[in-house]
Amino acid sequence: MIAVPERLVRFIQDHDSFVIAGHKEPDGDCIGSCLAMASFLRRIGKQVQLVSAGPFKRIEIREYEPLFGTAAVPEALSGSACVLILDCSNAGRTGDVASSFEGLPHAIIDHHATNDASGPVDFVESASPATTLLVQSIIEAIAGSVTPEEAELLFFGLCTDTGFFRHLDDKSAESFACASRLVAAGANPKKTFARMNGGKSYESRILVARILTRMNRWYDGKLVISWENLEDTQEFGLEGRDSDILYQLIQSIAGVEAIVIVRQETETNCTVGFRSLDRVDVSIVASAFGGGGHRQASGLSIAGTIDELIPRFVESFASQFPGVEP
Ligand SMILES: [Mn+2]
């Protein structure tokens, strides 16, 4: 069991109305955490508003978009109100929705390595592979157990952030114990896997192929970088994107230790995904450019073009591959 701060338990018990917000560009961990927390709070008699800045780009979370508002409605909050910020290293990560709940007391519940939140009721565990595990701990601490619906949502989030347990190592017994309780409560691994990995379009596989053919290697093949440009987005749309399978395929190449995928989002801006295996800490590289995340998975939004940015990323990996020429 992950120990839940007593002050957070009291914070939840002492408030009547909750705004729940996750990060912009939500993923399964973010959405699963928000929805399971909302379900739990409602069943203990609390009032809940779910908000998200979106966009809901990933197919596997799209069905949940209608459950989220685009701003908190303060007039609709009754009694003492507060905000739970989930799966975010800071309140700003919630995006445009943040201004709608400014001024309300909040608790940050998160597992990002780059989180430096230090509020009196914040619950930050960078050792936890998913925020859903922290939400599960909160529900179990207060209510004893999760409902079948909550179990499914929490399992979905855990599977998202662990790559269906692929990223867990020999220190992960606790995560598997939590997963076991979720399955006992009604989560179905087989169905969750099919939901997360099936249903892709033919075109999205063509896009994966295209990005693979653009790979370049540096540092004796330890670093692989590829990219996606505005024309690709025009042709395939955001729906075509499937980073997870791309990273999986590139990680399976012998000798690869780090991967960077650069996406030109507008004429002047790129988003960047970083992944690594074992030794390399990509959160250091992402942080150097203003991004953040985890040791093995980080992200970044940055001004610039693909051609300008790639040489800068290559250079910054020198610290991760000491003694190896780019
Ligand atoms: Mn997460």
Side-chain angles (χ1 to χ4, degrees):
M1 286 281 277
I2 303 165
V4 181
E6 193 49 43
R7 281 193 288 199
L8 175 62
V9 171
R10 276 203 302 278
F11 181 81
I12 291 172
Q13 286 165 340
D14 290 348
H15 286 87
D16 310 304
S17 261
F18 293 75
V19 175
I20 298 178
H23 55 80
K24 57 189 171 188
E25 281 195 43
D27 58 14
D29 184 35
C30 172
I31 294 302
S33 295
C34 289
L35 291 173
M37 182 62 93
S39 160
F40 158 68
L41 290 173
R42 284 174 179 141
R43 74 183 158 95
I44 60 168
K46 311 286 187 184
Q47 200 218 349
V48 178
Q49 287 183 28
L50 283 159
V51 296
S52 175
F56 285 64
K57 286 185 192 169
R58 300 163 199 250
I59 310 174
E60 72 275 17
I61 58 164
R62 198 150 310 149
E63 63 179 286
Y64 299 118
E65 183 168 7
L67 303 174
F68 290 79
T70 51
V73 185
E75 309 81 64
L77 297 165
S78 58
S80 62
C82 68
V83 188
L84 298 181
I85 295 170
L86 305 184
D87 203 30
C88 291
S89 44
N90 56 62
R93 285 280 295 134
T94 59
D96 294 339
V97 298
S99 58
S100 69
F101 51 72
E102 223 176 287
L104 290 176
H106 70 260
I108 292 176
I109 298 163
D110 183 42
H111 70 127
H112 288 90
T114 46
N115 193 317
D116 50 10
S118 56
V121 291
D122 291 341
F123 182 21
V124 178
E125 285 288 341
S126 61
S128 176
T131 295
T132 52
L133 286 189
L134 306 180
V135 173
Q136 181 179 353
S137 306
I138 293 168
I139 298 175
E140 289 175 341
I142 299 176
S145 60
V146 299
T147 66
E149 188 208 358
E150 288 157 14
E152 218 175 287
L153 291 162
L154 293 167
F155 193 77
F156 169 55
L158 178 62
C159 290
T160 299
D161 271 24
T162 61
F164 222 93
F165 304 107
R166 277 178 296 122
H167 309 320
L168 297 181
D169 58 18
D170 55 352
K171 292 185 279 297
S172 309
E174 179 61 38
S175 301
F176 281 95
C178 289
S180 171
R181 294 198 296 278
L182 295 177
V183 174
N188 184 328
K190 191 173 166 179
K191 276 190 187 156
T192 305
F193 186 86
R195 224 181 93 209
M196 286 170 58
N197 296 284
K200 313 286 191 201
S201 69
Y202 175 81
E203 290 74 18
S204 73
R205 306 301 90 175
I206 303 296
L207 177 59
V208 167
R210 193 177 286 183
I211 297 171
L212 286 176
T213 62
R214 293 172 181 159
M215 290 188 293
N216 263 308
R217 296 185 285 175
W218 285 271
Y219 299 99
D220 286 344
K222 295 178 197 300
L223 173 66
V224 171
I225 303 184
S226 192
W227 48 273
E228 190 179 334
N229 61 20
L230 285 174
E231 287 74 51
D232 297 324
T233 310
Q234 252 159 28
E235 189 176 343
F236 296 100
L238 294 173
E239 298 73 33
R241 286 189 182 176
D242 185 0
S243 304
D244 196 49
I245 194 71
L246 255 182
Y247 293 127
Q248 261 186 70
L249 287 166
I250 301 174
Q251 275 172 350
S252 68
I253 302 168
V256 168
E257 295 186 23
I259 302 162
V260 181
I261 306 288
V262 187
R263 291 188 165 100
Q264 193 78 48
E265 299 287 356
T266 66
E267 297 287 347
T268 55
N269 218 74
C270 287
T271 56
V272 190
F274 297 86
R275 291 294 183 280
S276 69
L277 290 99
D278 304 320
R279 200 178 54 80
V280 174
D281 186 347
V282 287
S283 74
I284 293 176
V285 179
S287 300
F289 292 93
H294 310 282
R295 190 181 162 82
Q296 242 92 70
S298 286
L300 172 65
S301 175
I302 186 170
T305 62
I306 293 166
D307 292 342
E308 288 162 16
L309 291 169
I310 288 178
R312 293 173 59 196
F313 296 143
V314 171
E315 200 189 320
S316 74
F317 269 94
S319 66
Q320 299 295 313
F321 303 117
V324 188
E325 290 292 312

